[in-house]
Amino acid sequence: MSDYKKHIKECYRILEEKKAEDIKLLYLGKKSSIADYFLIANGMADPHINALKNALHASFLKENIQFKNKHDTAKAGWIAVDAFHFVIHLFSREKREFYSLETLWKDAKEVKIEDL
């Protein structure tokens, strides 16, 4: 298993531990030049989304994984953390429904974390 897949699993575990909602992992593969995987989750409110982001950042720093934020705070109801091979999207419920990444990337395959 590649290192980035191990880190996807760790990020998934962190999201579960921090009570993120509706966590999904999509495999984009050759369908996208953006990333191989999208990890998508909801936060209950902007402070919760920011707390999820902070917990993920701590994990990235601990493991010396490079990343960049597309948005620094959840004021827009959406934070995207780009880890190059995978992107984590943290949404409010409303923004997730509005942007509907699962529909936009309907050709992507949903992957169960235990199958990664």
Side-chain angles (χ1 to χ4, degrees):
M1 177 186 309
S2 67
D3 287 341
Y4 79 89
K5 288 182 181 180
K6 289 178 188 175
H7 202 70
I8 291 172
K9 285 185 172 191
E10 176 63 11
C11 290
Y12 193 101
R13 185 197 62 75
I14 290 167
L15 292 173
E16 282 185 320
E17 180 180 284
K18 297 293 182 185
K19 308 294 186 214
E21 300 174 332
D22 197 16
I23 305 168
K24 290 190 179 174
L25 180 62
L26 300 180
Y27 176 67
L28 306 171
K30 301 207 184 295
K31 295 171 179 51
S32 170
S33 61
I34 298 169
D36 293 335
Y37 292 90
F38 279 176
L39 183 56
I40 307 169
N42 295 355
M44 292 178 257
D46 288 349
H48 184 221
I49 295 169
N50 285 321
L52 294 170
K53 174 201 70 170
N54 292 339
L56 293 166
H57 281 185
S59 174
F60 280 106
L61 293 171
K62 178 182 171 188
E63 297 297 323
N64 200 27
I65 303 291
Q66 291 187 0
F67 66 93
K68 58 184 174 179
N69 270 30
K70 300 289 185 188
H71 309 288
D72 192 41
T73 65
K75 290 180 185 175
W78 179 12
I79 294 176
V81 180
D82 184 345
F84 303 101
H85 287 288
F86 65 103
V87 178
I88 303 167
H89 297 275
L90 304 172
F91 286 103
S92 66
R93 286 184 194 127
E94 297 79 21
K95 291 295 181 181
R96 183 158 178 189
E97 287 176 21
F98 178 80
Y99 288 107
S100 187
L101 291 184
E102 294 95 326
T103 303
L104 181 65
W105 293 95
K106 64 183 174 206
D107 292 339
K109 179 183 175 191
E110 185 172 350
V111 178
K112 300 225 179 276
I113 197 66
E114 52 274 358
D115 295 335
L116 185 60

